[in-house]
């Protein structure tokens, strides 16, 4: 076979992609007919495709490219580390400088006594680690039956068997024989879709108290941990009412349930603080990290645990680890990413500049005829599409039909914005400037207007009965 390069015609690249590459979370049969868009390079907040189109990436890849694309510093660090020590493990009484430096840096950044890091290659692996960590923790404390983990419907914690079991995605649970045993799901704090006649405050409390009900039903001596994203990401950027998190913290404290904050999206500046836990005011015992840890430049994730958990786990041999736990190149890249986030004050930029400006414009989207609520925390935001905002109506069509139409209009207008059911979501690079935000909104309004016209034309502007 001849060399495959950027210079090949798009159609040839698409044909080869369709012939040999299986896309994640895709219907590969129909994608093969349509042809995947070939992304060839990226700089700042813009992607370039094989036709030379410039696409504004309002998702920062998969919520991960926090510092933006094209930072040479990371490329240089990776090249240097590959030459010096491309790989070594830390299983058998060895360690290396990048993993030492990264673990120490993360301990410095993480709040409270979250001072110990177990590394993985991404968020799914890290959450698999968490399942084994919390069960081993309680077993070591003489309570091996305290092994049930409570999570939430519509949570996303990854795609491996363990992490997808923790997650609450119905579509994922429908395939491949998951969830694994001893994972229990309670309802999510999604007021727009599920709040009924309650005020957001009442609803937030009610949904938090489902945790207490579950603990009482399952038995305090059976429940090991509760896991949640500070702001649900893949579930549709669901922001809990203000009453929710204080009540969750109270319940975890009262029943001695470990609180795992899945910070894979919220961590490293996304919500305007270093960690989403700080934004929502919780004190987790374990944090899951990945994505923004390296801004997606290298695959790396991990679990940050408290002094106490590290001490208990340290009392036994923890029979767990990944070939790429603390991979030196990924660790060096992550460390350089954290240096840039810190020295360029990117978290301050989010809090003081980008997020306030984005919030003002984002919340105004609620005036668009197709938009119900508009929610935003830092640099992650969502809008609920609705045929009738006053009654918070859902569409009569199959859920996701309208969101899909809207996403396709965005894609055609060179804007990456995702849909989750009939919600539209963004999670742009944190370095987005006000001028880029203005450009993004030109594309958002154009796409929403076109989607609205298409929905009306197809007779889909109808509320579910
Ligand atoms: C993406 C994500 C994961 C999974 O991370 P991977 O690196 O894809 O394995 C876990 N939790 C949350 C909250 C995520 O958004």
């Amino acid at each position: 076979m001849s060399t495959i390069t950027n210079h090949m015609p798009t159609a040839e690249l698409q044909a080869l992609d369709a012939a040999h590459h299986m896309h994640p979370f895709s219907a590969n049969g129909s994608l093969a007919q349509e042809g995947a868009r070939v992304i060839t390079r990226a700089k700042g907040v813009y992607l370039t495709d094989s036709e030379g189109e410039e696409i504004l990436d309002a998702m920062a890849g998969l919520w991960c490219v926090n510092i933006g694309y094209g930072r040479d510093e990371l490329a240089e660090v990776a090249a240097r580390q590959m030459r010096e020590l491309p790989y070594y493990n830390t299983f058998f009484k060895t360690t290396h400088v990048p993993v030492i430096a990264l673990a120490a840096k993360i301990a410095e950044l993480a709040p409270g006594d979250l001072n110990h890091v177990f590394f993985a290659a991404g968020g799914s692996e890290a959450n698999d680690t968490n399942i084994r960590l919390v069960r081993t923790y309680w077993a070591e404390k003489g309570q091996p039956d305290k092994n049930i983990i409570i999570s939430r419907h519509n949570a996303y914690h990854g795609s491996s068997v363990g992490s997808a079991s923790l997650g609450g995605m119905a579509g994922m649970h429908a395939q491949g024989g998951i969830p694994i045993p001893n994972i229990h799901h309670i309802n999510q704090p999604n007021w727009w879709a599920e709040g009924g006649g309650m005020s957001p405050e009442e609803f937030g409390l009610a949904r938090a108290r489902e945790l207490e009900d579950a603990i009482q039903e399952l038995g305090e001596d059976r429940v090991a941990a509760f896991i949640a994203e500070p702001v649900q990401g893949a579930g549709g950027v669901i922001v809990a009412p203000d009453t929710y998190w204080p009540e969750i913290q109270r319940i975890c404290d009262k029943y001695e349930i470990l609180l795992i904050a899945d910070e894979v999206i919220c961590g490293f500046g996304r919500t305007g603080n270093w960690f989403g836990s700080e934004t929502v005011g919780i004190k987790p015992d374990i944090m899951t990290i990945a994505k923004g840890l390296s801004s997606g430049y290298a695959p790396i994730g991990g679990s940050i645990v408290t002094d106490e958990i590290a001490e208990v786990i340290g009392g036994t041999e923890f029979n767990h680890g990944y070939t790429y736990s603390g991979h030196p190149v990924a660790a060096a890249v992550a460390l350089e990413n954290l240096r840039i986030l810190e020295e360029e004050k990117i978290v301050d930029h989010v809090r003081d500049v980008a997020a306030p400006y984005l919030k003002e414009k984002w919340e105004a989207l609620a005036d668009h005829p197709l938009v119900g609520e508009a929610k935003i925390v830092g640099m992650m935001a969502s809008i609920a599409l609705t045929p009738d905002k006053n009654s918070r109506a859902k569409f009569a069509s199959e859920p996701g039909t309208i969101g899909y139409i809207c996403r396709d209009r965005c894609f055609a207008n060179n804007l990456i914005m995702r849909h989750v059911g009939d919600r539209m979501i963004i999670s742009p690079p944190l370095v987005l400037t006000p001028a880029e935000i203005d450009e993004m909104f030109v594309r958002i309004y154009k796409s929403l207007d076109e989607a609205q016209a298409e929905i009306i034309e197809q007779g889909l502007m109808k509320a579910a009965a």
Side-chain angles (χ1 to χ4, degrees):
M1 192 178 2
S2 60
T3 314
I4 297 169
T5 72
N6 268 355
H7 305 293
M8 282 173 73
T10 301
E12 277 180 45
L13 289 167
Q14 288 173 325
L16 283 164
D17 182 71
H20 304 294
H21 172 213
M22 298 173 77
H23 290 246
F25 283 102
S26 302
N28 278 279
S30 56
L31 177 60
Q33 312 247 295
E34 203 178 329
R37 206 156 168 176
V38 183
I39 306 301
T40 51
R41 54 177 58 85
K43 183 88 192 159
V45 303
Y46 286 96
L47 310 168
T48 305
D49 74 8
S50 55
E51 296 292 294
E53 295 285 338
E54 296 224 312
I55 309 164
L56 200 165
D57 184 10
M59 284 306 301
L62 283 175
W63 328 72
C64 55
V65 189
N66 289 9
I67 61 167
Y69 296 95
R71 294 294 302 246
D72 283 338
E73 299 92 325
L74 275 68
E76 274 152 26
V77 161
R80 200 187 315 141
Q81 187 59 47
M82 279 204 190
R83 292 196 179 96
E84 198 170 294
L85 179 71
Y87 178 76
Y88 203 67
N89 73 82
T90 60
F91 283 28
F92 310 115
K93 299 190 178 180
T94 56
T95 189
H96 53 72
V97 175
V99 80
I100 296 169
L102 181 62
K105 186 72 211 176
I106 291 170
E108 182 193 317
L109 292 171
D113 56 356
L114 289 161
N115 287 323
H116 311 264
V117 192
F118 192 104
F119 286 104
S124 304
E125 284 186 2
N127 277 327
D128 276 22
T129 296
N130 290 338
I131 295 173
R132 305 198 56 208
L133 256 175
V134 299
R135 290 177 173 171
T136 305
Y137 170 86
W138 287 114
E140 282 300 297
K141 286 175 74 107
Q143 292 182 264
D145 293 335
K146 203 166 158 66
N147 57 20
I148 298 176
I149 303 173
I150 301 180
S151 177
R152 306 183 295 181
H153 294 297
N154 200 36
Y156 188 80
H157 296 301
S159 197
S160 60
V161 170
S163 62
S165 295
L166 285 179
M169 295 292 171
M172 295 175 78
H173 287 189
Q175 296 172 329
I178 56 171
I180 57 171
N182 290 336
I183 310 283
H184 181 89
H185 295 87
I186 59 173
N187 286 306
Q188 58 171 337
N190 180 350
W191 176 79
W192 173 266
E194 301 174 5
M198 283 189 224
S199 71
E201 292 72 26
E202 288 167 341
F203 178 73
L205 268 186
R207 283 288 154 101
R209 287 190 182 144
E210 286 194 18
L211 176 60
E212 189 157 33
D213 294 344
I215 293 167
Q216 284 171 353
E217 187 186 308
L218 297 161
E220 189 179 340
D221 52 347
R222 290 294 323 277
V223 181
F226 174 64
I227 182 168
E229 304 148 86
V231 178
Q232 278 159 270
V237 185
I238 309 299
V239 184
D242 290 342
T243 47
Y244 182 78
W245 282 110
E247 186 65 3
I248 291 286
Q249 182 74 60
R250 180 191 72 75
I251 295 165
C252 289
D253 290 346
K254 178 174 174 191
Y255 297 97
E256 285 193 67
I257 306 297
L258 296 175
L259 175 57
I260 308 171
D262 186 337
E263 294 269 4
V264 170
I265 288 173
C266 294
F268 305 102
R270 172 71 46 204
T271 68
N273 289 297
W274 276 93
F275 296 95
S277 295
E278 295 163 308
T279 302
V280 303
I282 53 172
K283 288 173 83 175
D285 302 288
I286 299 178
M287 279 182 177
T288 320
I289 53 172
K291 293 188 175 135
L293 169 59
S294 65
S295 282
Y297 281 62
I300 186 165
S303 307
I304 322 177
V305 310
T306 60
D307 294 335
E308 203 254 336
I309 293 174
E311 195 188 319
V312 171
I313 296 293
T316 185
E317 178 167 347
F318 189 35
N319 296 313
H320 176 69
Y322 306 108
T323 300
Y324 299 132
S325 286
H327 189 284
V329 177
V333 167
L335 195 61
E336 181 66 5
N337 171 61
L338 297 181
R339 185 193 65 75
I340 288 174
L341 277 172
E342 213 172 17
E343 285 183 12
E344 297 182 8
K345 298 189 165 42
I346 290 172
V347 185
D348 295 344
H349 167 78
V350 168
R351 188 170 45 232
D352 303 334
V353 181
Y357 190 66
L358 181 62
K359 182 179 164 78
E360 189 188 315
K361 300 205 126 200
W362 190 263
E363 287 177 344
L365 283 172
D367 295 333
H368 191 278
L370 202 53
V371 177
E373 72 167 1
K375 299 298 274 186
I376 177 162
V377 177
M379 301 295 276
M380 57 195 298
S382 58
I383 46 179
L385 305 180
T386 177
D388 177 17
K389 58 180 89 193
N390 294 320
S391 63
R392 309 210 311 268
K394 298 177 176 66
F395 287 95
S397 47
E398 175 82 9
T401 309
I402 305 300
Y404 186 85
I405 290 171
C406 190
R407 189 194 73 176
D408 264 6
R409 293 321 311 156
C410 294
F411 206 36
N413 289 323
N414 286 337
L415 170 67
I416 305 277
M417 173 145 99
R418 250 170 86 179
H419 81 107
V420 177
D422 295 326
R423 281 182 95 86
M424 303 302 300
I425 59 176
I426 61 163
S427 169
L430 307 185
V431 294
L432 201 67
T433 63
E436 287 163 344
I437 291 174
D438 289 343
E439 175 57 32
M440 182 172 77
F441 274 91
V442 170
R443 299 183 193 193
I444 289 175
Y445 277 105
K446 183 167 190 283
S447 304
L448 278 176
D449 291 345
E450 289 174 7
Q452 188 191 0
E454 193 173 328
I455 292 158
I456 291 170
E457 194 185 293
Q458 290 190 31
L460 293 171
M461 197 58 124
K462 281 201 294 260

